[in-house]
Amino acid sequence: MKTITKNHPKKFPDKITVPYSYTFKKANVDEDDYHPVVWYQKHFDMAINKAHHYLLHFEAVDYQCQIWLNGHLIGSHIGGHTPFTLDISKWVATSNTLEVRVENFNATDQPIGKQA
């Protein structure tokens, strides 16, 4: 799900098919305007074994992002072409809310990703 806003949205009314940018038809989002800040939210449940570590993998986020899990800022990343992983073991629960704030201002001093 996503909502287009600079500030944290109270609701996430739209749904998106990832890994596509909201500008692609395959994303299933009816939005043509450029937005430099987009929020994504996903709820998920999972069985927890305290003896295990849990990793969250991103193949790429264009261009800069901050990630929250269950209300905790757990990490950030800059660079739209590189994968990254966060150890979420400390914050994961049986019921979870993941939120990702993505910034892409298409600045001339940053590489341009798939949204271009």
Side-chain angles (χ1 to χ4, degrees):
M1 299 177 90
K2 72 140 181 88
T3 291
I4 298 166
T5 178
K6 273 192 153 182
N7 299 317
H8 187 279
K10 296 194 185 314
K11 295 182 180 180
F12 290 78
D14 301 314
K15 290 187 179 184
I16 187 169
T17 302
V18 294
Y20 302 104
S21 164
Y22 69 88
T23 59
F24 283 81
K25 282 191 175 205
K26 287 185 175 183
N28 296 315
V29 175
D30 186 23
E31 182 63 51
D32 294 324
D33 294 335
Y34 167 72
H35 300 279
V37 177
V38 179
W39 283 84
Y40 297 85
Q41 182 183 70
K42 174 141 182 96
H43 299 284
F44 64 96
D45 296 325
M46 61 185 286
I48 300 296
N49 181 332
K50 292 294 182 185
H52 293 148
H53 279 273
Y54 296 93
L55 304 176
L56 179 63
H57 299 281
F58 289 85
E59 290 302 314
V61 176
D62 196 12
Y63 179 74
Q64 181 173 320
C65 69
Q66 298 85 37
I67 301 110
W68 288 263
L69 182 61
N70 300 325
H72 301 278
L73 179 62
I74 62 169
S76 62
H77 184 76
I78 297 174
H81 300 90
T82 55
F84 62 98
T85 301
L86 300 170
D87 184 342
I88 62 171
S89 304
K90 182 177 176 181
W91 303 282
V92 73
T94 55
S95 180
N96 301 277
T97 300
L98 177 69
E99 294 177 324
V100 180
R101 182 181 188 271
V102 178
E103 295 180 21
N104 186 354
F105 291 97
N106 287 333
T108 58
D109 62 343
Q110 79 182 38
I112 304 238
K114 64 186 177 194
Q115 286 83 352

